[in-house]
């Protein structure tokens, strides 16, 4: 009886059935319920997600039918569409779709095909393989491969081997704790993470003793200079019990807060998961998707609940209750195996899920490429776009590289995600370059000493190792020579660091340098320079190829006030400043970057002509005028000043900068001055509809060019900026966090309230749209041997 039922599958999607139909279905449900009694871990009490292989039940308002489940989706021939006639371009060469002015060919395809895509059946395998010793509690079992994903400091088949990570470099006579590195430690080193703590013998042994906290500080060498740390001399006062000396490891927080005890003010609570001046308040740590609420975040790595796995605990095993499956696996029609073996090593279930293309497969890379970088970080603000305060409320960071985490989390939770690599259209490789680069000085095991002291070369080798892993472990690369793979390089010069082996792939970057003019490293920071990377490692590729790559916006912290004030919608009459730029202007100004090569000299040239703040010599720009602002003085009214301007400068920094995002989000028309360098979406959106490009050699003519643009054109561009501004925010990621917070607290924070009101396409929606277009229009795909159901009419498919 059990074996017979397990060979069938039932799918109930709706209960809009007549009473006679319900009665007919009822008898079948009774039988299925008997199966459920014996298979509680697999199936929920809800009938929404019960499945059948040979019989499928579908209910409409008037009847219920049982039909064969072997029917396949057929691509509709559909009427032929004359795209040029039906979707003509406007006077600027754009075709609008969902509010955005796209390049004509792309906009036409979206208008005719983007909205008619149908759902298709995708088979997802829910696995149940076991791991050796269940990873000994020091890792998470990947139920697909039966392999452990070990936490930081553990390795081996069952995570039983302890890996030691030293806090210090080898000692020298002058430096008993070795040369400086962020993890340098004069007390107890937790060698599972290379982190420094006060240690045994102190009142608070688990209190962090991070970086300079445990060492002597000396007075400035010149008036007004910074204090200097002597990395060779331990500060014994941090261990004192004398309340009159500035201690740390024995300081009672209550007595210090009431000024009864002195404490060393150079000591800070830098590690994630701790809050308060003395790290006395435990908080939530930052993990990918916060473990999808199916696990616990332990400093950056997810410790998943039983039945779940994946970097974010979002993948159910065959033991996970179906009613708890993530939204991207629902609704499902589930096939039970003919013979069910109740062991951890053999159980798997097929789930047929309705999905729309494009479908993205996310590689489950070893933890050293992502979660170990998060778990071992020494400064809580590194690598992530959010941390949590003393009451576990979300605190968004200003880290521009937070886009990498935001996009990753959106993909993991997206209905476009699939675990079926044979059906996938794209393959996302989640290596976190920004986290690696920010942590390059964190600890000896991350040292770049073996990479010529260059973070750029360290990053290249890191991505090559990820490539070698997926080549060895998975079968998907060779089919397209990696052209359907996606890599995110979020650092200052983007995919300039990419190893030659992966250059065929799609690169997501913030730096769209085609190298048509600036055919060299543009950073002024030596450790990130890539000019000297050996050609046998990097090859001779450009940093960006507009035919295959995409520039994405940088992360900008959710500002509820900006949304509430609608700064992007401020009308033309309230924009009284003709041109505005506020940022570092180089060595000619106080506190300016000292390198002449900073910003490739572009900001310096702008300041020489239009500087509105005196430089070190008291000089203004040669053509300074009252309604033009070019200043290095960051204003507390920065966003309001952008929103009070018609045109805003978009110039490079050390590589890319966030000025494009600042301009768009405040409704200002971007003025782009960086030759041969693409900005966000510039190879898919029609930039002439909302931006102005000026060549670097035209900087002296800037104001004359802007004044020549008539009011009709200005209003047209301002109108388009208002239509696209949401495509420059990561709303999807923000709302995923809002839902997690909603499950913890009764009242929503202001950012959650304001962002929930936004409805237009954001960064992630735009990213998916671009993938959808590329899926059906990239010429190389026509030569692939695999032809999957597309969900589109034939008129939308290019065959030649």
């Amino acid at each position: 009886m059990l074996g017979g039922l397990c060979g069938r599958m039932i799918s109930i999607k709706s209960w809009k059935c007549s009473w006679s139909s319900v009665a007919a279905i009822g008898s079948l449900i009774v039988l299925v319920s008997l199966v459920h009694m014996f298979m509680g871990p697999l199936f929920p009490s809800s009938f929404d997600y019960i499945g059948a292989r040979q019989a499928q039940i579908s209910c409409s308002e008037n009847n219920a039918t049982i039909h064969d489940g072997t029917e396949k989706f057929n691509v509709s021939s559909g009427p032929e569409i004359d795209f040029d006639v039906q979707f003509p371009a406007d006077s600027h060469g754009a075709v609008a779709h969902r509010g955005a002015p796209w390049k004509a060919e792309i906009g036409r395809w979206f208008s005719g095909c983007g909205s008619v895509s149908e759902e298709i059946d995708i088979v997802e395998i829910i696995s149940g393989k076991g791991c050796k010793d269940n990873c000994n509690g020091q890792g998470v079992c990947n139920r697909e491969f039966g392999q452990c994903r070990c936490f930081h400091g553990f390795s081996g088949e069952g995570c039983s081997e302890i890996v030691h990570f030293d806090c210090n470099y080898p000692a020298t006579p002058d430096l008993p704790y070795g040369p400086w590195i962020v993890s340098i430690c004069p007390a107890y080193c937790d060698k599972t993470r290379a982190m420094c703590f006060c240690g045994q013998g102190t009142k608070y042994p688990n209190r962090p003793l991070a970086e300079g906290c445990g060492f002597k500080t000396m007075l400035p060498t010149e008036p007004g200079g910074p204090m200097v740390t002597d990395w060779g001399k331990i500060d014994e006062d941090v261990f004192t019990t004398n309340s009159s000396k500035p201690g740390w490891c024995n300081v009672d927080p209550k007595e210090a807060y009431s000024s009864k005890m002195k404490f060393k003010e150079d000591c800070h609570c830098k590690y994630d998961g701790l809050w308060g001046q003395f790290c006395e308040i435990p908080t939530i740590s930052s993990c990918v998707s916060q473990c999808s609420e199916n696990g616990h975040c332990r400093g950056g790595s997810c410790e998943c609940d039983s039945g779940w796995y994946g970097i974010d605990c979002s993948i159910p095993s065959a033991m996970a209750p179906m009613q708890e499956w993530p939204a991207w696996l629902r609704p499902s029609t589930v096939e039970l195996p003919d013979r069910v073996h109740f062991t951890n090593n053999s159980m798997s279930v097929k789930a047929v899920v309705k999905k729309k293309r494009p479908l993205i497969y996310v590689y489950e890379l070893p933890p050293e490429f992502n979660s170990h970088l998060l778990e071992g970080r020494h400064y809580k603000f590194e690598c992530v776009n959010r941390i949590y305060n003393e009451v576990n409320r979300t605190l968004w960071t200003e880290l521009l590289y937070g886009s990498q985490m935001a996009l990753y989390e959106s993909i993991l939770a997206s209905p476009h995600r699939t675990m079926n690599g044979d059906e996938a259209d794209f393959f996302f490789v989640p290596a976190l370059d920004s986290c690696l680069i920010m942590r390059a000085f964190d600890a000896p095991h991350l040292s770049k000493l073996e990479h010529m002291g260059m973070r750029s070369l360290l990053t290249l080798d890191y991505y090559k190792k990820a490539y070698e892993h997926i080549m060895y472990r998975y079968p998907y690369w060779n089919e397209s020579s990696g052209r359907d793979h996606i890599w995110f390089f979020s650092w200052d010069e983007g995919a300039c660091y990419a190893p030659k082996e992966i250059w065929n792939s799609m690169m997501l970057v913030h730096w769209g340098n085609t190298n048509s003019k600036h055919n060299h490293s543009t950073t002024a920071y030596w450790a990130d320079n890539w000019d000297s990377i050996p050609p046998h490692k990097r090859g001779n590729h450009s940093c960006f190829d507009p035919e295959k790559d995409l520039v994405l916006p940088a992360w900008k912290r959710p500002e509820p006030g900006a949304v509430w004030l609608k700064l992007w919608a401020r009308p033309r009459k309230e924009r009284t400043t003709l041109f505005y730029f506020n940022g570092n202007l180089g060595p000619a100004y106080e506190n300016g970057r000292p390198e002449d090569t900073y910003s490739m000299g572009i900001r310096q040239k702008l300041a020489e002509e239009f500087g509105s703040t005196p430089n070190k010599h008291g000089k203004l720009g040669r053509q300074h005028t009252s309604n033009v602002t070019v200043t290095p003085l960051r204003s507390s009214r920065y966003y309001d000043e952008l929103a009070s301007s018609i045109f805003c400068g978009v110039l490079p920094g050390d590589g890319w900068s966030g000025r494009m995002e600042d301009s768009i989000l405040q409704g200002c028309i971007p003025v782009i001055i960086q030759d041969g360098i693409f900005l966000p979406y510039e190879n898919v959106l029609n930039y002439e509809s909302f931006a102005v490009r000026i060549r670097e050699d035209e900087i002296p003519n800037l104001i004359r060019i802007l004044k020549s643009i008539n009011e009709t054109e200005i209003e047209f561009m301002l109108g388009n900026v208002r239509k696209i501004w949401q495509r420059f925010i990561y709303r999807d990621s923000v709302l995923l966090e809002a839902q997690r917070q909603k499950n913890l607290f009764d009242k929503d924070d202001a950012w959650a309230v304001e962002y929930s009101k936004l409805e237009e396409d954001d960064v992630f929606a735009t990213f998916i749209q671009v993938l959808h277009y590329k899926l059906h229009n990239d010429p190389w795909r026509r030569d692939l041997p695999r032809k999957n159901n597309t969900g589109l009419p034939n008129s939308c498919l290019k065959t030649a």
Side-chain angles (χ1 to χ4, degrees):
M1 180 70 172
L2 179 61
L5 268 175
C6 289
R8 300 181 66 78
M9 104 185 153
I10 304 114
S11 173
I12 299 179
K13 300 179 181 178
S14 170
W15 287 106
K16 297 179 180 178
C17 307
S18 64
W19 284 110
S20 60
S21 300
V22 171
I25 296 169
S27 59
L28 182 55
I29 291 176
V30 170
L31 295 178
V32 175
S33 299
L34 291 174
V35 177
H36 174 62
M37 290 173 62
F38 293 99
M39 301 189 66
L42 277 172
F43 298 95
S45 57
S46 166
F47 294 119
D48 289 342
Y49 311 115
I50 298 176
R53 184 195 323 171
Q54 297 173 350
Q56 180 172 328
I57 300 174
S58 60
C59 294
S60 64
E61 291 192 14
N62 299 316
N63 54 41
T65 60
I66 299 177
H67 55 82
D68 190 293
T70 61
E71 180 181 353
K72 294 182 179 179
F73 177 86
N74 293 315
V75 176
S76 170
S77 59
E80 288 295 322
I81 302 173
D82 189 332
F83 290 94
D84 291 348
V85 173
Q86 194 163 342
F87 309 109
D90 64 19
S91 60
H92 289 70
V95 173
H97 175 69
R98 296 185 64 83
W102 300 86
K103 290 184 180 295
E105 181 181 358
I106 299 173
R108 289 189 179 106
W109 190 87
F110 281 146
S111 299
C113 303
S115 58
V116 299
S117 178
E118 297 182 22
E119 291 181 333
I120 58 176
D121 288 339
I122 300 297
V123 176
E124 305 282 6
I125 302 299
I126 311 301
S127 302
K129 293 181 181 178
C131 292
K132 182 180 179 181
D133 300 328
N134 201 28
C135 307
N136 287 292
Q138 303 294 354
V140 174
C141 180
N142 182 313
R143 298 289 181 175
E144 179 182 0
F145 299 118
Q147 294 180 345
C148 288
R149 181 186 180 90
C150 301
F151 300 137
H152 205 295
F154 299 91
S155 69
E157 189 178 356
C159 300
S160 58
E161 301 173 16
I162 298 177
V163 182
H164 292 289
F165 298 106
D166 289 326
C167 291
N168 300 334
Y169 282 124
T172 68
D174 295 331
L175 298 169
Y177 302 99
W180 170 85
I181 194 163
V182 172
S183 61
I184 191 168
C185 184
Y188 169 69
C189 176
D190 175 0
K191 293 191 176 183
T192 64
R193 295 181 295 165
M195 289 183 170
C196 189
F197 296 88
C198 288
Q200 296 299 317
T202 66
K203 187 175 181 179
Y204 300 97
N206 296 319
R207 181 173 291 172
L209 192 68
E211 204 171 357
C213 179
F215 293 88
K216 285 278 190 181
T217 54
M218 299 177 292
L219 294 174
T221 55
E222 57 185 38
M227 299 287 285
V228 179
T229 301
D230 186 342
W231 300 107
K233 293 182 180 178
I234 191 171
D235 185 356
E236 298 291 351
D237 283 351
V238 297
F239 303 106
T240 186
T241 57
N242 187 336
S243 61
S244 63
K245 292 184 177 182
W248 178 252
C249 290
N250 294 296
V251 172
D252 183 293
K254 291 182 179 179
E255 294 190 14
Y257 285 136
S258 61
S259 300
K260 294 180 180 179
M261 291 188 74
K262 289 185 176 181
F263 64 92
K264 187 174 181 178
E265 296 184 5
D266 292 338
C267 295
H268 303 285
C269 193
K270 293 183 177 181
Y271 297 165
D272 197 12
L274 299 169
W275 201 268
Q277 176 67 52
F278 304 97
C279 312
E280 71 274 19
I281 304 172
T283 69
I284 297 174
S285 297
S286 297
C287 274
V288 178
S289 304
Q290 294 311 117
C291 308
S292 306
E293 300 178 278
N294 297 318
H296 166 70
C297 180
R298 42 169 291 165
S301 287
C302 285
E303 187 170 2
C304 301
D305 297 337
S306 177
W308 297 90
Y309 67 98
I311 188 172
D312 64 337
C313 305
S314 65
I315 305 177
S317 72
M319 285 75 76
M322 289 178 59
Q323 71 267 31
E324 296 178 9
W325 284 10
W328 56 273
L329 285 175
R330 295 184 290 172
S332 297
T333 301
V334 173
E335 175 183 336
L336 297 177
D338 290 328
R339 293 182 178 87
V340 178
H341 303 284
F342 294 95
T343 69
N344 285 343
N345 292 314
S346 61
M347 186 182 298
S348 64
V349 176
K350 287 185 180 179
V352 180
V353 188
K354 295 287 187 183
K355 288 182 175 290
K356 287 186 177 183
R357 296 196 183 278
L359 298 177
I360 306 172
Y361 181 94
V362 183
Y363 283 110
E364 189 73 8
L365 294 180
E368 56 262 35
F369 291 99
N370 35 56
S371 59
H372 280 187
L373 290 173
L374 298 175
E375 187 178 359
R377 70 193 198 279
H378 285 69
Y379 186 45
K380 65 181 72 175
F381 286 95
E382 288 179 331
C383 307
V384 297
N385 59 2
R386 64 177 182 274
I387 60 171
Y388 296 90
N389 67 13
E390 70 277 13
V391 294
N392 290 325
R393 284 286 195 178
T394 307
L395 184 64
W396 296 107
T397 75
E398 295 184 351
L399 184 71
L400 296 175
Y401 312 107
S403 53
Q404 197 164 46
M405 185 66 72
L407 184 80
Y408 187 13
E409 292 180 333
S410 287
I411 293 175
L412 289 172
S414 170
H416 292 278
R417 180 186 180 185
T418 182
M419 296 185 293
N420 187 339
D422 292 329
E423 286 287 354
D425 304 307
F426 295 93
F427 297 83
F428 183 71
V429 188
L432 304 180
D433 72 313
S434 63
C435 196
L436 177 74
I437 291 173
M438 279 187 283
R439 294 202 55 212
F441 298 102
D442 264 12
H445 69 278
L446 292 171
S447 171
K448 56 187 182 1
L449 294 180
E450 297 178 1
H451 297 84
M452 298 162 36
M454 296 165 55
R455 300 192 301 188
S456 54
L457 184 55
L458 174 70
T459 304
L460 181 146
D461 283 347
Y462 167 80
Y463 273 75
K464 185 177 179 182
K465 288 178 182 177
Y467 157 77
E468 291 170 343
H469 173 80
I470 63 178
M471 279 287 289
Y472 171 77
R473 190 69 184 84
Y474 298 87
Y476 307 122
W477 180 274
N478 285 337
E479 186 169 308
S480 69
S481 299
R483 286 177 292 188
D484 53 5
H485 282 56
I486 302 172
W487 307 74
F488 199 159
F489 284 81
S490 67
W491 201 249
D492 295 350
E493 289 200 89
C496 303
Y497 308 156
K500 63 182 182 181
E501 290 82 0
I502 71 172
W503 185 247
N504 274 346
S505 301
M506 180 183 186
M507 305 294 169
L508 303 178
V509 297
H510 300 315
W511 182 240
N513 187 6
T514 62
N515 301 96
S516 58
K517 177 175 181 178
H518 301 286
N519 191 22
H520 52 80
S521 182
T522 58
T523 181
Y525 181 52
W526 65 270
D528 291 347
N529 191 293
W530 51 267
D531 287 335
S532 57
I533 293 179
H536 72 273
K537 287 180 173 288
R538 183 185 176 276
N540 192 34
H541 62 73
S542 62
C543 297
F544 178 79
D545 181 352
E547 294 299 316
K548 67 181 183 68
D549 303 332
L550 184 67
V551 180
L552 289 179
W555 168 259
K556 287 292 179 177
R557 185 179 64 186
E559 295 284 357
V563 177
W564 178 71
L565 291 171
K566 294 182 172 57
L567 295 180
W568 72 88
R570 187 170 287 178
R572 164 67 183 90
K573 64 182 180 181
E574 296 180 21
R575 296 178 177 270
T576 55
T577 300
L578 177 65
F579 177 83
Y580 183 88
F581 182 81
N582 186 321
N584 198 306
L585 297 177
Y589 290 81
E590 294 292 340
N591 302 314
R593 284 287 295 268
E595 309 95 340
D596 291 330
T597 55
Y598 174 70
S599 185
M600 300 176 285
I602 298 173
R603 295 190 183 193
Q604 293 90 315
K605 293 175 184 176
L606 181 71
E608 288 170 5
E609 295 293 335
F610 306 105
S612 56
T613 298
N615 61 20
K616 291 178 180 178
H617 303 291
K619 293 183 178 180
L620 298 172
R622 286 187 288 266
Q623 302 184 57
H624 74 276
T625 185
S626 59
N627 65 343
V628 172
T629 298
V630 175
T631 179
L633 303 178
R634 191 60 181 257
S635 169
S636 60
R637 298 179 58 250
Y638 176 64
Y639 295 118
D640 184 69
E641 289 172 0
L642 285 164
S644 300
S645 304
I646 304 169
F647 299 101
C648 295
V650 177
L651 288 74
D654 232 348
W656 60 272
S657 72
R659 306 304 174 173
M660 183 68 178
E661 293 79 0
D662 289 344
S663 298
I664 293 289
L665 297 182
Q666 272 58 244
C668 189
I669 299 170
V671 177
I672 302 161
I673 311 176
Q674 40 193 302
D675 296 352
I677 299 168
F678 278 62
L679 276 294
Y681 314 130
E682 193 170 359
N683 53 337
V684 292
L685 293 184
N686 187 66
Y687 259 48
E688 291 182 12
S689 299
F690 60 87
V692 177
R693 260 199 176 273
I694 292 178
R695 296 195 315 270
E696 294 167 24
D697 61 9
E698 291 181 314
I699 287 177
N701 300 322
L702 169 67
I703 301 306
R704 181 181 58 79
I705 293 172
L706 297 182
K707 286 183 176 179
S708 70
I709 301 174
N710 64 51
E711 285 296 323
T712 301
E713 184 71 6
I714 288 174
E715 290 284 8
F716 176 80
M717 287 193 284
L718 287 173
N720 277 314
V721 170
R722 296 183 197 113
K723 293 176 182 177
I724 66 170
W725 75 273
Q726 290 188 43
R727 293 182 185 270
F728 285 74
I729 59 173
Y730 288 83
R731 188 188 73 245
D732 183 78
S733 176
V734 172
L735 293 184
L736 289 172
E737 176 65 8
Q739 183 57 52
R740 292 189 287 264
Q741 286 277 289
K742 195 177 189 69
N743 295 336
L744 296 176
F745 301 100
D746 294 332
K747 185 178 180 181
D748 292 334
D749 279 330
W751 56 264
V753 172
E754 295 303 325
Y755 267 60
S756 66
K757 298 175 183 177
L758 304 177
E759 298 178 345
E760 303 299 327
D761 293 339
D762 73 333
V763 171
F764 186 65
T766 307
F767 168 66
I768 292 296
Q769 290 161 6
V770 172
L771 293 188
H772 198 199
Y773 176 80
K774 288 175 65 64
L775 171 62
H776 299 295
N777 292 275
D778 277 347
W780 60 265
R781 286 189 178 269
R782 300 166 204 162
D783 299 325
L784 290 183
R786 172 163 48 99
K787 301 293 183 183
N788 293 324
N789 294 332
T790 65
L792 288 175
N794 288 335
S795 57
C796 292
L797 306 177
K798 290 188 177 182
T799 58

